[in-house]
Amino acid sequence: MSEDCLFCKIVNKEIESQFLYEDDTYVVFKDINPSAPVHLLLVPRRHIRSINDLEPAHESLVGGLFSLAAKMAKEQGVDKSGYKLLFNVEKGGGQMVFHLHLHLLGGWQR
Ligand code: 5GP
Ligand code: ZN
């Protein structure tokens, strides 16, 4: 838990948010300002700043994010139509919330 971290507050339910999925390791919720018809944020409960801060011990945590993404994509009905998975890394990479999260974007009509 990092004191001033928005996603830590969401994970710990200090800020109201509806989870589409949660377990001991991850939570999933909708992006408040969606960039696609389906835009989910997959967030490890553990506070890690960004991809730059990963350590070997985090490998299964990150691997699990991708399995969870595939599960969520199926649940949202975008697995067959297709989707994008994105990590923004640090300011220049578009990261605004410095708590590791994977964007799942999909649902376009094309
Ligand atoms: P980043 O730019 O850090 O990769 O992504 C952060 C994402 O979090 C943005 O797409 C932004 O719209 C979303 N976001 C920021 N604040 C909130 C919030 O309070 N609730 C939810 N659900 N999403 C948020
Ligand atoms: Zn955090």
Side-chain angles (χ1 to χ4, degrees):
M1 168 86 190
S2 180
E3 291 275 315
D4 288 322
C5 172
L6 175 66
F7 284 0
C8 278
K9 287 181 179 152
I10 289 178
V11 161
N12 293 311
K13 300 196 164 140
E14 286 171 41
I15 292 178
E16 175 71 30
S17 187
Q18 253 197 339
F19 295 152
L20 276 68
Y21 174 86
E22 67 175 310
D23 63 20
D24 290 347
T25 312
Y26 309 103
V27 304
V28 178
F29 49 88
K30 288 185 182 170
D31 196 294
I32 203 169
N33 183 22
S35 304
V38 173
H39 187 172
L40 306 186
L41 300 173
L42 284 62
V43 184
R45 287 185 183 276
R46 181 169 181 172
H47 182 87
I48 299 167
R49 179 183 165 94
S50 84
I51 286 286
N52 282 343
D53 301 276
L54 290 180
E55 294 169 9
H58 298 142
E59 273 176 20
S60 68
L61 183 90
V62 176
L65 267 179
F66 291 105
S67 306
L68 179 56
K71 173 187 154 70
M72 295 309 301
K74 195 168 185 183
E75 231 176 82
Q76 296 286 313
V78 299
D79 55 323
K80 295 289 190 297
S81 55
Y83 54 97
K84 295 178 195 286
L85 297 175
L86 174 74
F87 285 108
N88 292 326
V89 184
E90 295 296 335
K91 289 194 181 72
Q95 189 174 6
M96 293 183 303
V97 178
F98 297 98
H99 178 130
L100 189 73
H101 54 280
L102 181 61
H103 294 256
L104 190 166
L105 302 132
W108 306 277
Q109 304 296 324
R110 62 185 181 198

